[in-house]
Amino acid sequence: MSTRISRRNLLKTASIAAPAAAATLISSPARSTEALQWKMVTSWPKGAPGVGTTAQRLADRITAMSDGKLSVKLYGAGELVPPLEVFGAVGEGVAELGHTASFFWQGKARASVFFTTVPFGLTSAEHIAWVNQGGGQALWDKLYAPFDIKPFMAGNTGIQMGGWFKKEITSLKDLQGLKIRSAGLGGEIYKQMGATAVLLPPGEIYSGLRSGVVDAAEFLGPWSDRAFGFYKAAPYYYWPTFNKPNGTAECLVNKSAFEALSPDLQAIVQNACEAENAYALSESDWENARALAALIDDKKAQVREFPSDIMAKAKSLTPGILEKFVWGDPLAEEILSSYRQAMALSKTWAKVGRQAFLTARDS
């Protein structure tokens, strides 16, 4: 008797459990495809030409490519976190995404500067080749992993200008005591040439020039510089750059959040970054050319070439500054070694390729 009751109970339990299991199977896909809402914080004023529009397009690309399954809301500099706290915000999960530049974080991860630009270093095309083909991405991932951050290239402002100066610079002597807004290792070069480097967030550069906090400022190229109005406060616009031959912007992704995504959404984030990186570089090249002409013709900017003694001094200082900068940090030393190998390889091809052609075309 007990055996028959047990069997009946078993059958009854099974009959109840079967619909419940079926309901679970039906409802599971709905839970797994529920739309995710991510926040992106940036170091740029919202909508600023160049870096600001790149950040917005990246957020829009991810949202559109995922058909809304991963929706990204953009916050401009200071709206959710201060512009120079983006790195920490992403690593701590305050926001899942950040759009910024790696050389802001050298106080946290010393070798981060190599992933934006280095004085007398790789051009934009060469930098992209190093990251994608020369092992740079693996080193970048290794550098940011302790902070729970996964980095991607996600925009590029191209080769940049030397900066805006309130007074004309005629020789190395004119840099003595000068206060210049400078980001990255160029600040150390200016320091050793007698100037004082000041790091201001992008949104504070113009007011810094007007108020006298700085006497000069370098930022990006003509397109972004014109939009920020630097020509109104400092009329002398110098070229060529020695600090910023490249302008890689980075997308920071909270690593834990990224790894929790389904493979298709991970691929969408990566491909959106790659698409924006390529698009932004072409946009910057085009718009910088147009903006430079407008600055000269309409805004009467005084475009000047840096004196040869400044360029020679900056170049002679660079190798020692780089070596001192990475000394004692094994990963930074490894990244500098990899970067220099990429430089040596790129120089040979550039000499017989792009450099030779441009000389022949434009002479």
Side-chain angles (χ1 to χ4, degrees):
M1 184 68 176
S2 62
T3 303
R4 286 196 297 272
I5 292 172
S6 177
R7 286 173 180 169
R8 282 199 298 270
N9 288 341
L10 180 62
L11 289 170
K12 183 178 179 181
T13 302
S15 68
I16 293 170
T24 300
L25 289 171
I26 291 169
S27 63
S28 290
R31 287 199 300 270
S32 65
T33 58
E34 185 178 351
L36 297 171
Q37 303 287 328
W38 275 16
K39 297 184 287 291
M40 177 190 287
V41 291
T42 74
S43 296
W44 331 114
K46 201 169 186 177
V51 285
T53 52
T54 284
Q56 184 64 67
R57 272 198 309 261
L58 178 59
D60 294 343
R61 284 185 192 277
I62 294 171
T63 302
M65 290 168 69
S66 68
D67 196 23
K69 288 191 292 182
L70 178 54
S71 179
V72 178
K73 182 176 180 180
L74 177 73
Y75 294 85
E79 289 185 345
L80 191 61
V81 299
L84 299 184
E85 293 183 17
V86 169
F87 190 89
V90 174
E92 294 163 12
V94 174
E96 293 83 4
L97 296 168
H99 195 268
T100 183
S102 67
F103 58 16
F104 291 142
W105 321 125
Q106 67 186 62
K108 298 177 181 290
R110 192 182 304 180
S112 63
V113 295
F114 291 96
F115 298 97
T116 297
T117 191
V118 173
F120 294 100
L122 296 167
T123 65
S124 297
E126 292 167 344
H127 179 92
I128 292 168
W130 171 58
V131 173
N132 284 339
Q133 308 297 329
Q137 183 67 58
L139 290 169
W140 201 5
D141 290 342
K142 185 178 179 180
L143 181 67
Y144 282 8
F147 303 95
D148 199 28
I149 291 174
K150 165 70 177 172
F152 293 105
M153 293 184 292
N156 199 307
T157 52
I159 194 166
Q160 299 172 29
M161 290 287 283
W164 298 87
F165 292 74
K166 290 184 175 181
K167 296 181 179 179
E168 191 169 5
I169 304 298
T170 60
S171 72
L172 188 59
K173 290 189 301 182
D174 292 326
L175 295 181
Q176 304 306 304
L178 185 108
K179 295 174 294 183
I180 181 168
R181 186 274 179 185
S182 181
L185 291 175
E188 183 61 28
I189 293 176
Y190 273 114
K191 179 180 176 181
Q192 293 198 25
M193 291 195 296
T196 299
V198 180
L199 180 59
L200 294 174
E204 297 178 17
I205 298 174
Y206 177 73
S207 61
L209 282 168
R210 290 296 298 264
S211 66
V213 170
V214 291
D215 307 306
E218 57 169 17
F219 181 45
L220 297 173
W223 182 32
S224 295
D225 289 1
R226 180 183 62 166
F228 277 83
F230 301 147
Y231 62 89
K232 299 175 186 177
Y236 296 99
Y237 199 22
Y238 276 86
W239 65 276
T241 184
F242 58 80
N243 185 26
K244 297 177 181 176
N246 174 48
T248 293
E250 64 180 0
C251 176
L252 305 176
V253 190
N254 180 275
K255 190 169 181 285
S256 297
F258 182 73
E259 291 175 349
L261 293 176
S262 58
D264 62 322
L265 291 180
Q266 288 182 357
I268 283 170
V269 171
Q270 180 173 348
N271 281 277
C273 289
E274 291 174 352
E276 185 55 39
N277 199 56
Y279 185 90
L281 181 56
S282 66
E283 180 183 49
S284 292
D285 276 349
W286 186 260
E287 294 297 342
N288 278 333
R290 285 160 40 92
L292 182 61
L295 282 167
I296 295 170
D297 296 339
D298 301 336
K299 307 302 182 184
K300 309 305 179 186
Q302 302 297 307
V303 180
R304 299 282 191 272
E305 183 176 2
F306 269 133
S308 58
D309 60 345
I310 289 178
M311 295 302 293
K313 184 65 173 178
K315 188 172 183 179
S316 70
L317 289 170
T318 296
I321 286 173
L322 291 176
E323 287 159 15
K324 183 178 179 181
F325 181 73
V326 303
W327 186 83
D329 183 330
L331 182 53
E333 291 173 352
E334 182 182 3
I335 290 171
L336 174 58
S337 176
S338 175
Y339 192 92
R340 282 179 164 168
Q341 289 174 29
M343 280 277 293
L345 185 66
S346 297
K347 282 181 179 179
T348 303
W349 171 231
K351 183 176 181 179
V352 301
R354 286 183 292 271
Q355 183 176 330
F357 170 72
L358 290 173
T359 299
R361 186 190 73 178
D362 300 335
S363 61

